[in-house]
């Protein structure tokens, strides 16, 4: 059953137990490219290209996790939307802390979404990327393909700072860490300025247009401060947590007050008291 169209072109519905894939894709704005078939309803707003999308879940008191992980805040619909979004992205960008807490590994593209990726001109795989200034990473994590992996196009990408900028006494340790990451199958790329914005630009240069930012709080905050985010998918869970990190981070010695970022609501869904919101960045031209 198609989702009803709400006033002002927003989609508001209680999704069925097993929503059709087309229904999900229309809400996410990830439909197939235009074809001779009838166009989708006017309320369906496709994601811009290129597009950096922040995907987050939050409690009603603004917390992003329970006992260190975000999964307990979501429900089955949240997992379905999240997994569909990431399976249709070009790259997933996530902070080292979240890689550890959520045990991040390669993104699996479901069989039913592989043809849509091909229609959209995307690679058959989703790249994984992170930003680590220290390269102090546990190479036994699923994020790394492993020492026995042969060089591959979908090797995880680690952005970091330039070794030459480090004090001489720290270079040897940094170099050893870099070698360990590369030996575990990762691709390490130095950036002149190791920021989220520079990492996003580097990914675009590498041909990754649809980038998902999946946390954690520090990465979300940096991406918003540096105005990298074009689209937000936010799940509001009907849960009061009472403690823990704020979903979108907290100020950390920032001298100048941040510039507010304005977003426009593009769609909503409701399921089991969870609210799913889709926003676009409102930019003045």
């Amino acid at each position: 059953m198609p989702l009803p169209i709400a006033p002002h072109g927003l989609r508001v519905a209680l999704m069925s137990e097993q929503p059709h894939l087309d229904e999900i894709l229309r809400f996410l704005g990830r439909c197939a490219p235009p074809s001779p078939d009838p166009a989708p309803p006017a309320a369906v707003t496709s994601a811009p290209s290129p597009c950096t999308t922040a995907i987050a879940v939050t409690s009603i008191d603004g917390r992003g996790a329970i006992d260190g992980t975000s999964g307990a805040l979501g429900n089955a619909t949240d997992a379905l939307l999240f997994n569909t979004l990431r399976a249709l992205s070009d790259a997933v960008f996530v902070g080292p802390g979240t890689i550890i807490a959520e045990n991040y590994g390669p993104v699996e593209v479901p069989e039913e979404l592989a043809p849509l990726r091909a229609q959209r001109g995307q690679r058959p795989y989703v790249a994984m990327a992170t930003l680590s200034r220290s390269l102090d990473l546990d190479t036994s994590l699923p994020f790394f393909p492993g020492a026995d992996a042969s060089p591959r196009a979908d090797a995880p990408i680690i952005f970091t700072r330039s070794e030459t900028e480090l004090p001489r006494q720290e270079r040897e340790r940094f170099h050893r860490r870099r070698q360990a990451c590369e030996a575990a199958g990762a691709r390490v790329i130095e950036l002149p300025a190791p920021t989220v914005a520079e990492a996003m630009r580097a990914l675009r240069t590498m041909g990754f247009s649809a980038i998902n930012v999946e946390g954690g709080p520090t990465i979300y905050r940096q991406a918003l401060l540096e105005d990298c985010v074009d689209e937000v998918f936010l799940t509001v869970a009907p849960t009061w947590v009472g403690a823990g990190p704020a979903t979108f981070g907290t100020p950390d010695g920032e001298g100048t007050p941040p510039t507010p970022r304005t977003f426009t609501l593009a769609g909503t869904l409701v399921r089991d008291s969870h609210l799913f919101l889709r926003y676009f960045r409102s930019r003045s031209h």
Side-chain angles (χ1 to χ4, degrees), residues 92 99 105-106 126-130 141-146 152-159 181-182 184-189 206:
V92 166
I99 290 173
V126 178
M128 297 293 296
T130 190
L141 292 168
F143 178 83
F144 292 90
R152 44 198 284 183
D154 62 343
I157 301 163
I158 306 173
F159 294 107
C181 289
E182 292 175 333
R187 179 181 179 186
V188 180
I189 299 176
M206 296 164 69

Side-chain angles (χ1 to χ4, degrees), residues 47 65 67 83 88 93 99 121 154 163 175 185 232 241 255 264 267:
D67 295 331
N83 288 327
L88 290 176
F93 184 81
I99 290 173
D154 62 343
E163 186 174 330
H175 185 69
V232 173
V241 177
T264 299

Side-chain angles (χ1 to χ4, degrees), residues 105-216:
V107 175
E108 295 185 7
V109 177
E111 185 178 342
E112 65 270 19
L113 291 178
L116 180 55
R117 288 187 64 89
Q119 289 180 52
R120 290 158 55 93
Q122 294 178 285
R123 296 170 171 87
Y125 63 87
V126 178
M128 297 293 296
T130 190
L131 173 66
S132 173
R133 295 171 179 83
S134 68
L135 294 183
D136 187 12
L137 302 170
D138 181 357
T139 55
S140 68
L141 292 168
F143 178 83
F144 292 90
D148 296 331
S150 57
R152 44 198 284 183
D154 62 343
I157 301 163
I158 306 173
F159 294 107
T160 191
R161 57 183 169 177
S162 172
E163 186 174 330
T164 60
E165 295 179 358
L166 290 168
R168 189 174 299 275
Q169 64 272 21
E170 295 181 22
R171 292 180 189 176
E172 184 177 349
R173 180 175 59 180
F174 183 87
H175 185 69
R176 287 198 304 269
R177 289 174 175 173
R178 174 170 186 156
Q179 287 181 317
C181 289
E182 292 175 333
R187 179 181 179 186
V188 180
I189 299 176
E190 294 183 356
L191 297 175
T195 64
V196 172
E198 285 301 316
M200 295 297 106
R201 277 190 278 272
L203 286 172
R204 299 239 188 278
T205 300
M206 296 164 69
F208 301 108
S209 295
I211 304 169
N212 285 4
V213 176
E214 298 185 2

Side-chain angles (χ1 to χ4, degrees), residues 22-45:
D22 288 345
E23 180 183 2
I24 298 166
L25 294 176
R26 282 204 301 272
F27 173 69
L28 299 178
R30 268 62 176 178
C31 299
S35 67
D37 296 330
V44 178
T45 307

